[in-house]
C-alpha cells in the first residue's frame, strides 16, 4: 500500500508530470527537480548585479563625497589700481588685461597652493587725489596681500607713501618716476626715469651723433625726472641748449609754452634732437606744432610714447597724410620691450594673449603680467594663501619681493630672467624704437649690455668704436636686422632620423655692414647645401634688402612622450657665422609681427594654400622669435669678447608646430587591439565547464602576445628613446588587464575543482563588470590628459 506522497514520488521517478492540484498548491517550489531544489546561485543573478552596482556607487560616493562636501579654498586677494576712466583709461585697460590674463592662467593651474587669486579692482581715474583715497581705502582692507597698480607717475607718486606707511607691498607696472620706490615697500616692474633718461642721452650722442639737444618736459614727476636724467647725462658729452616746461593743470601745453618751445628749438645752433619728456597727448600736440612750423629735427621720447597707439596716431594725423614721413620720420622712443624683439617665452605668452584678446600685447600689458608674475612668486615664497592677511604676512611678501635682487634669485618671465636692482626697479635693457608703416619697431642700431658671461676688454671695444661708455660700463653697438621667413612647403618628416625638408623664402632688411647676411643654419642636416645668389636685392635711403630662397633638410629634436598624441616643433634656426649677439641681432620683420595664424600658414608661393605638405600630420602654427646661444667657438678672432662660456650668438627661429592626425592613426593601429580586447572580454562569458578553462587561458595569452607584437610594429617608426610613450602605456595597461583575466580564469578553474559554485558565480560577475569599467577608466584618463 502506498501513500499519496509515495505516488507523487513514483510519478516523478517514472517521468510523469504531477497532477494539476499538486502544481496549483505550489507544494513543489519553482525550479524543483528530481534531485531537489536548483542551486541557489542560479536564483540570484539580478540580486548580485544590483549588489555589484550598489558597491560601485558606494565606492564612488566614498571617493567623491569628501571633495563635494569640503569647503571651497579661501582666495588670495590682490588689489589692482588702474585708470578705468579718464585720460589714462587705455593704459589702464592694457595693464588690467596683462594682470588678469596672468592670474586667470594661474587659477587654471591650481592657484597659489590650491587657493585662487581674486582681483579687487580700483579706479584712480588718472587723478593723484583719487589715487591717494584709493590707497587709504586699501590700507584699511585686511584682505589685500599685495597691491599692483597706479599706472602713471603722478598717481603712483601720491599713492606710494600711503602703502609704505601702511606696510603693504606695492608694485607699479609702468610708473617710472624715481621717487615712487623711495620707500622699502614699493617696487616697480620697469626702469626709472633717471635710467631711461641717461640711456636716451647716450643714444642721442653716440648713435644719432648729436652734440646739442633741446628738452621739452611735462611739469610733472614723470617729465621732471626724465628730463633731469637726460640733462645730467648728456652734459658730459654734449650741450643741452634749452629746457622748457610744458603743461597746465590738465597736462596740456598752453599756446605761450608752445611758442617758447618753438623758439628754443629754432635757436639751437646745431638744430639737435628734441627730447620729448611728455605723456602721449602733450607729446602729440607739441610735435604737431613744431612740424607745422617747419621744425624737422629728430624727436626722441620716453617709454610713454613707445606704443602702437601713439605711433598709429602719428601715422593718422593730417600732417602725416599730407606729407608722409613728416610726423613718423625721424622719431624715436625708448621702450622696455618691443614686439619684434620677443624671445621664445615672451612670444609664447604674447601669442596666447593675442588669441584671447585679438591683439598683440603692448609693453605695458607685458609689464602688468610681470608684476602679477612676481607677486605670485612672492606670495608662494611667503606661504600666504588665505583671505585675511596679517601684518606678518605682508612683511613676508615684501621680504620675498626684496629677495629677488640678483639674476640667480630672480624669476623667469616674458622679459627673460628678471630681478630688482638697488632702486627696487626691474633690471631691464632699454630698446629704442622707431616708426615703420604706423608700427613701433626696433631701431636699426641699438646700444646693449654685454652678456654677463663675456669678460670683455672694455678699452679695446671702446677704442674700436664697437662700444660706448655708459654709467661706468660699456654698451655694445648692435646692428638690428629685420628678418622674415615665409614658408612655401614643409615635407618629408622622418621621425626616426629627426629630419624634415623645408622650402622657404628668407629675407633681411638692415643698415650697415653686409656681414649681417653672413648666416648659417646650426641645425642643417644636408651637408651638400650651398647658398645661392639672392632672388632679389635693393637699397633705398640706406636700408638694404636681400631675399633668398632656401630648399634643404633640417634636423630637429622630437619629443615622443605623448605619441601618438604628440605635437612636434620643426625649427629652422639661423645665426651669424662670426658676429656675436652684442654686434648683430635678428628680429622679426614688422609685417610678420601682427599677422594672424591664417596668414602665417599661407604658402609663400600660393596664398590660397597652406604650406602643409606632410602626410599624416597637420600644421598648426608658425612662430618667429629671436633667441641666443652660447658657443665656445671664438673662431680665432682676437677682437671677439672673451667669455667664461665662450661667445653668445643671436639666433632667429622659425618654429613650425605640427600635430599628428590621430584619428586615422588610431583606427589603423588600434583596431586589431580592439578586436583582441573584444575576444578577451568574450572569454569571461564562457560556460562554467572545466573543459573551457584551457580555451579561455589560451585565448587570453594569445591576446597578450598579440598585443606585444602589435606594439612593436606600431612603435617601429620611432627612434631609440629612453622613455615610455603614451601609446605604450595603453598597450601595457591592456596586457595588465589580460593578465588579470588569466588569473580570473585560473581562479575560476580552482573554484570549480573545489565545487565552490557560489564563489565562481560572484567571480564571473565581478570580472564582467570590472573589465568594461577598467577600460572606461583608462579611456577617460587618456581623454583628460590628451584630449
Amino acid at each position: 500500500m502506498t501513500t499519496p506522497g509515495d505516488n507523487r514520488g513514483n510519478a516523478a521517478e517514472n517521468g510523469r508530470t504531477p497532477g494539476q492540484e499538486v502544481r496549483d498548491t505550489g507544494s513543489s517550489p519553482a525550479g524543483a527537480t528530481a534531485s531537489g531544489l536548483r542551486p541557489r546561485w542560479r536564483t540570484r543573478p539580478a540580486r548580485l548585479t544590483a549588489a555589484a552596482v550598489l558597491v560601485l556607487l558606494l565606492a564612488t560616493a566614498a571617493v567623491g563625497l569628501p571633495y563635494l562636501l569640503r569647503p571651497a579654498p579661501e582666495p588670495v586677494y590682490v588689489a589692482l589700481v588702474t585708470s578705468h576712466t579718464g585720460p589714462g583709461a587705455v593704459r589702464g585697460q592694457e595693464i588690467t588685461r596683462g594682470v588678469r590674463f596672468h592670474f586667470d592662467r594661474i587659477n587654471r593651474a591650481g592657484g597659489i597652493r590650491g587657493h585662487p587669486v581674486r582681483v579687487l579692482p580700483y579706479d584712480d581715474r588718472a587723478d593723484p587725489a583719487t589715487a591717494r583715497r584709493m590707497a587709504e581705502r586699501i590700507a584699511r582692507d585686511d584682505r589685500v596681500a599685495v597691491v599692483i597698480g597706479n599706472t602713471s607717475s603722478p598717481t603712483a607718486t601720491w599713492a606710494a607713501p600711503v602703502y609704505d606707511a601702511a606696510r603693504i607691498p606695492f608694485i607699479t607696472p609702468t610708473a617710472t618716476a624715481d621717487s615712487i620706490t623711495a620707500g622699502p615697500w614699493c617696487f616697480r616692474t620697469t626702469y626709472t626715469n633717471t635710467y631711461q633718461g641717461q640711456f636716451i642721452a647716450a643714444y642721442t650722442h653716440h648713435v644719432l651723433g648729436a652734440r646739442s639737444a633741446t628738452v621739452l618736459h611735462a611739469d610733472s614727476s614723470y617729465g621732471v625726472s626724465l628730463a633731469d636724467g637726460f640733462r645730467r647725462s648728456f652734459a658730459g658729452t654734449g650741450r643741452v641748449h634749452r629746457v622748457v616746461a610744458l603743461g597746465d593743470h590738465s597736462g596740456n601745453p598752453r599756446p605761450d609754452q608752445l611758442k617758447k618751445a618753438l623758439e628754443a628749438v629754432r635757436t639751437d645752433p646745431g638744430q639737435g634732437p628734441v627730447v620729448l619728456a611728455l605723456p602721449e597727448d602733450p607729446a602729440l600736440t607739441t610735435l604737431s606744432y613744431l612740424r607745422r612750423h617747419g621744425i624737422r629735427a629728430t624727436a626722441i621720447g620716453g617709454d610713454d610714447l613707445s606704443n602702437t597707439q601713439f605711433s598709429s596716431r602719428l601715422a593718422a594725423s593730417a600732417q602725416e597724410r599730407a606729407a608722409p614721413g613728416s610726423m613718423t620720420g625721424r622719431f624715436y622712443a625708448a621702450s622696455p620691450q618691443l614686439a619684434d624683439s620677443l624671445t621664445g617665452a615672451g612670444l609664447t605668452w604674447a601669442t596666447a594673449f593675442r588669441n584671447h584678446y585679438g591683439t598683440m600685447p603692448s609693453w605695458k600689458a607685458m609689464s602688468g603680467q610681470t608684476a602679477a608674475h612676481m607677486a605670485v612668486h612672492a606670495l608662494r615664497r611667503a606661504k600666504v594663501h588665505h583671505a585675511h592677511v596679517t601684518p606678518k604676512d605682508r612683511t613676508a611678501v615684501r621680504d620675498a619681493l626684496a629677495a629677488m635682487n640678483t639674476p640667480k634669485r630672480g624669476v623667469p618671465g616674458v622679459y627673460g630672467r628678471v630681478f630688482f636692482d638697488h632702486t627696487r626697479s626691474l633690471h631691464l635693457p632699454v630698446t629704442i624704437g622707431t616708426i615703420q608703416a604706423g608700427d613701433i619697431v626696433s631701431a636699426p642700431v641699438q646700444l646693449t649690455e654685454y652678456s654677463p658671461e663675456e669678460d670683455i676688454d672694455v678699452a679695446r671695444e671702446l677704442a674700436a668704436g664697437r662700444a660706448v661708455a655708459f654709467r661706468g660700463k660699456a654698451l655694445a653697438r648692435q646692428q638690428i636686422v629685420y628678418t622674415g621667413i615665409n614658408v612655401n612647403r614643409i615635407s618629408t618628416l622622418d621621425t626616426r632620423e629627426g629630419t624634415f625638408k623645408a622650402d622657404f623664402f628668407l629675407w633681411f632688411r638692415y643698415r650697415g655692414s653686409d656681414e649681417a647676411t653672413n648666416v648659417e643654419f646650426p641645425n642643417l642636416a644636408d651637408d651638400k647645401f650651398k647658398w645661392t645668389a639672392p632672388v632679389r636685392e635693393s637699397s633705398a635711403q640706406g636700408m638694404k634688402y636681400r631675399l633668398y630662397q632656401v630648399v634643404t633638410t633640417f634636423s630637429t629634436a622630437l619629443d615622443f612622450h605623448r605619441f601618438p598624441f604628440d605635437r612636434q616643433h620643426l625649427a629652422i634656426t639661423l645665426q651669424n657665422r662670426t658676429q656675436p649677439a652684442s654686434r648683430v641681432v635678428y628680429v622679426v620683420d614688422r609685417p610678420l609681427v601682427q599677422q594672424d595664424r591664417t596668414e602665417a600658414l599661407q604658402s609663400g608661393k600660393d596664398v590660397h594654400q597652406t604650406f602643409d605638405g606632410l602626410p599624416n600630420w597637420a600644421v598648426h602654427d608658425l612662430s618667429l622669435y629671436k633667441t641666443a646661444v652660447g658657443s665656445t667657438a671664438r673662431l680665432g678672432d682676437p677682437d671677439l669678447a672673451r667669455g667664461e662660456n665662450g661667445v653668445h650668438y643671436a639666433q632667429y627661429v622659425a618654429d613650425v608646430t605640427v600635430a599628428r592626425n590621430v584619428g586615422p592613426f588610431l583606427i589603423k593601429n588600434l583596431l586589431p587591439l580592439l578586436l583582441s580586447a573584444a575576444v578577451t572580454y568574450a572569454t569571461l562569458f564562457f560556460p562554467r565547464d572545466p573543459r573551457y578553462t584551457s580555451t579561455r587561458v589560451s585565448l587570453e595569452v594569445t591576446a597578450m602576445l598579440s598585443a606585444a607584437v602589435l606594439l612593436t610594429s606600431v612603435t617601429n617608426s620611432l627612434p631609440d628613446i629612453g622613455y615610455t610613450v603614451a601609446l605604450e602605456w595603453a598597450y601595457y595597461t591592456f596586457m595588465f588587464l589580460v593578465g588579470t583575466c588569466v588569473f580570473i580564469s585560473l581562479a575560476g578553474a580552482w573554484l570549480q575543482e573545489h565545487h565552490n559554485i557560489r564563489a565562481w558565480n560572484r567571480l564571473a560577475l565581478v570580472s564582467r563588470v570590472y573589465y568594461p569599467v577598467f577600460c572606461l577608466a583608462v579611456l577617460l584618463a587618456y581623454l583628460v590628459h590628451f584630449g
Side-chain angles (χ1 to χ4, degrees), residues 172-190:
T172 175
T174 53
T176 50
D178 293 39
S179 61
I180 294 169
T181 56
W185 291 79
C186 302
F187 301 81
R188 86 176 97 226
T189 51
T190 185

mmCIF file of all heavy atoms in Angstrom, residues 172-190:
data_model
loop_
_atom_site.group_PDB
_atom_site.id
_atom_site.type_symbol
_atom_site.label_atom_id
_atom_site.label_comp_id
_atom_site.label_asym_id
_atom_site.label_seq_id
_atom_site.Cartn_x
_atom_site.Cartn_y
_atom_site.Cartn_z
ATOM 1 N N THR A 172 54.260 98.812 -8.938
ATOM 2 C CA THR A 172 53.716 99.565 -10.062
ATOM 3 C C THR A 172 54.297 99.009 -11.360
ATOM 4 O O THR A 172 55.513 98.832 -11.485
ATOM 5 C CB THR A 172 54.028 101.069 -9.945
ATOM 6 O OG1 THR A 172 53.571 101.724 -11.148
ATOM 7 C CG2 THR A 172 55.505 101.340 -9.746
ATOM 8 N N PRO A 173 53.459 98.719 -12.354
ATOM 9 C CA PRO A 173 53.974 98.156 -13.606
ATOM 10 C C PRO A 173 54.634 99.172 -14.526
ATOM 11 O O PRO A 173 55.580 98.835 -15.240
ATOM 12 C CB PRO A 173 52.722 97.559 -14.271
ATOM 13 C CG PRO A 173 51.667 97.540 -13.222
ATOM 14 C CD PRO A 173 51.990 98.665 -12.299
ATOM 15 N N THR A 174 54.147 100.438 -14.524
ATOM 16 C CA THR A 174 54.578 101.364 -15.580
ATOM 17 C C THR A 174 54.983 102.745 -15.096
ATOM 18 O O THR A 174 55.425 103.559 -15.912
ATOM 19 C CB THR A 174 53.440 101.528 -16.606
ATOM 20 O OG1 THR A 174 52.239 101.905 -15.912
ATOM 21 C CG2 THR A 174 53.182 100.231 -17.349
ATOM 22 N N ALA A 175 54.809 103.050 -13.822
ATOM 23 C CA ALA A 175 55.174 104.387 -13.329
ATOM 24 C C ALA A 175 56.685 104.450 -13.145
ATOM 25 O O ALA A 175 57.262 103.683 -12.382
ATOM 26 C CB ALA A 175 54.457 104.674 -12.011
ATOM 27 N N THR A 176 57.339 105.394 -13.820
ATOM 28 C CA THR A 176 58.797 105.417 -13.872
ATOM 29 C C THR A 176 59.449 106.520 -13.050
ATOM 30 O O THR A 176 60.689 106.592 -12.994
ATOM 31 C CB THR A 176 59.253 105.569 -15.339
ATOM 32 O OG1 THR A 176 58.540 106.662 -15.939
ATOM 33 C CG2 THR A 176 58.970 104.299 -16.125
ATOM 34 N N ALA A 177 58.673 107.407 -12.426
ATOM 35 C CA ALA A 177 59.279 108.475 -11.609
ATOM 36 C C ALA A 177 60.120 107.876 -10.496
ATOM 37 O O ALA A 177 59.687 106.947 -9.796
ATOM 38 C CB ALA A 177 58.181 109.364 -11.025
ATOM 39 N N ASP A 178 61.323 108.390 -10.309
ATOM 40 C CA ASP A 178 62.285 107.796 -9.381
ATOM 41 C C ASP A 178 61.773 107.717 -7.949
ATOM 42 O O ASP A 178 62.004 106.728 -7.245
ATOM 43 C CB ASP A 178 63.584 108.610 -9.394
ATOM 44 C CG ASP A 178 64.320 108.514 -10.718
ATOM 45 O OD1 ASP A 178 63.649 108.508 -11.764
ATOM 46 O OD2 ASP A 178 65.551 108.419 -10.704
ATOM 47 N N SER A 179 61.060 108.751 -7.490
ATOM 48 C CA SER A 179 60.697 108.854 -6.084
ATOM 49 C C SER A 179 59.692 107.788 -5.638
ATOM 50 O O SER A 179 59.520 107.563 -4.433
ATOM 51 C CB SER A 179 60.111 110.239 -5.795
ATOM 52 O OG SER A 179 58.929 110.450 -6.582
ATOM 53 N N ILE A 180 59.048 107.114 -6.572
ATOM 54 C CA ILE A 180 57.991 106.159 -6.216
ATOM 55 C C ILE A 180 58.542 105.038 -5.345
ATOM 56 O O ILE A 180 57.896 104.608 -4.388
ATOM 57 C CB ILE A 180 57.335 105.591 -7.492
ATOM 58 C CG1 ILE A 180 56.592 106.707 -8.228
ATOM 59 C CG2 ILE A 180 56.376 104.444 -7.154
ATOM 60 C CD1 ILE A 180 56.144 106.320 -9.621
ATOM 61 N N THR A 181 59.712 104.563 -5.659
ATOM 62 C CA THR A 181 60.273 103.429 -4.912
ATOM 63 C C THR A 181 61.228 103.886 -3.812
ATOM 64 O O THR A 181 62.105 103.123 -3.395
ATOM 65 C CB THR A 181 60.996 102.466 -5.872
ATOM 66 O OG1 THR A 181 61.998 103.189 -6.610
ATOM 67 C CG2 THR A 181 60.026 101.825 -6.839
ATOM 68 N N ALA A 182 61.041 105.098 -3.335
ATOM 69 C CA ALA A 182 61.901 105.576 -2.237
ATOM 70 C C ALA A 182 61.647 104.790 -0.961
ATOM 71 O O ALA A 182 62.556 104.544 -0.166
ATOM 72 C CB ALA A 182 61.658 107.073 -1.999
ATOM 73 N N GLY A 183 60.407 104.380 -0.738
ATOM 74 C CA GLY A 183 60.070 103.609 0.454
ATOM 75 C C GLY A 183 60.356 102.138 0.251
ATOM 76 O O GLY A 183 60.278 101.616 -0.871
ATOM 77 N N PRO A 184 60.659 101.397 1.316
ATOM 78 C CA PRO A 184 61.056 99.988 1.202
ATOM 79 C C PRO A 184 59.926 99.042 0.812
ATOM 80 O O PRO A 184 60.182 97.879 0.511
ATOM 81 C CB PRO A 184 61.575 99.667 2.597
ATOM 82 C CG PRO A 184 60.882 100.631 3.504
ATOM 83 C CD PRO A 184 60.717 101.878 2.700
ATOM 84 N N TRP A 185 58.677 99.509 0.804
ATOM 85 C CA TRP A 185 57.554 98.639 0.488
ATOM 86 C C TRP A 185 57.095 98.784 -0.959
ATOM 87 O O TRP A 185 56.141 98.133 -1.371
ATOM 88 C CB TRP A 185 56.381 98.939 1.428
ATOM 89 C CG TRP A 185 56.670 98.513 2.836
ATOM 90 C CD1 TRP A 185 57.436 99.169 3.759
ATOM 91 C CD2 TRP A 185 56.236 97.306 3.463
ATOM 92 N NE1 TRP A 185 57.505 98.454 4.921
ATOM 93 C CE2 TRP A 185 56.767 97.305 4.787
ATOM 94 C CE3 TRP A 185 55.437 96.238 3.073
ATOM 95 C CZ2 TRP A 185 56.544 96.270 5.672
ATOM 96 C CZ3 TRP A 185 55.204 95.210 3.963
ATOM 97 C CH2 TRP A 185 55.747 95.223 5.248
ATOM 98 N N CYS A 186 57.784 99.610 -1.735
ATOM 99 C CA CYS A 186 57.356 99.908 -3.104
ATOM 100 C C CYS A 186 58.356 99.368 -4.124
ATOM 101 O O CYS A 186 59.569 99.561 -3.985
ATOM 102 C CB CYS A 186 57.174 101.413 -3.289
ATOM 103 S SG CYS A 186 55.957 102.102 -2.131
ATOM 104 N N PHE A 187 57.821 98.717 -5.164
ATOM 105 C CA PHE A 187 58.628 98.115 -6.230
ATOM 106 C C PHE A 187 58.026 98.515 -7.571
ATOM 107 O O PHE A 187 56.899 99.002 -7.650
ATOM 108 C CB PHE A 187 58.618 96.586 -6.103
ATOM 109 C CG PHE A 187 59.143 96.074 -4.787
ATOM 110 C CD1 PHE A 187 58.335 96.050 -3.661
ATOM 111 C CD2 PHE A 187 60.444 95.608 -4.671
ATOM 112 C CE1 PHE A 187 58.801 95.582 -2.443
ATOM 113 C CE2 PHE A 187 60.928 95.139 -3.455
ATOM 114 C CZ PHE A 187 60.107 95.117 -2.339
ATOM 115 N N ARG A 188 58.791 98.289 -8.647
ATOM 116 C CA ARG A 188 58.249 98.549 -9.981
ATOM 117 C C ARG A 188 58.816 97.517 -10.964
ATOM 118 O O ARG A 188 59.958 97.075 -10.817
ATOM 119 C CB ARG A 188 58.553 99.984 -10.414
ATOM 120 C CG ARG A 188 59.872 100.189 -11.056
ATOM 121 C CD ARG A 188 60.082 101.615 -11.547
ATOM 122 N NE ARG A 188 60.841 102.384 -10.565
ATOM 123 C CZ ARG A 188 60.497 103.616 -10.185
ATOM 124 N NH1 ARG A 188 59.429 104.191 -10.687
ATOM 125 N NH2 ARG A 188 61.209 104.261 -9.298
ATOM 126 N N THR A 189 58.010 97.168 -11.969
ATOM 127 C CA THR A 189 58.459 96.199 -12.976
ATOM 128 C C THR A 189 58.813 96.895 -14.287
ATOM 129 O O THR A 189 58.533 96.410 -15.379
ATOM 130 C CB THR A 189 57.387 95.126 -13.214
ATOM 131 O OG1 THR A 189 56.123 95.751 -13.463
ATOM 132 C CG2 THR A 189 57.270 94.208 -12.019
ATOM 133 N N THR A 190 59.423 98.053 -14.156
ATOM 134 C CA THR A 190 60.053 98.727 -15.282
ATOM 135 C C THR A 190 61.247 99.480 -14.708
ATOM 136 O O THR A 190 61.609 99.299 -13.544
ATOM 137 C CB THR A 190 59.071 99.668 -15.996
ATOM 138 O OG1 THR A 190 59.702 100.221 -17.153
ATOM 139 C CG2 THR A 190 58.584 100.782 -15.082
#
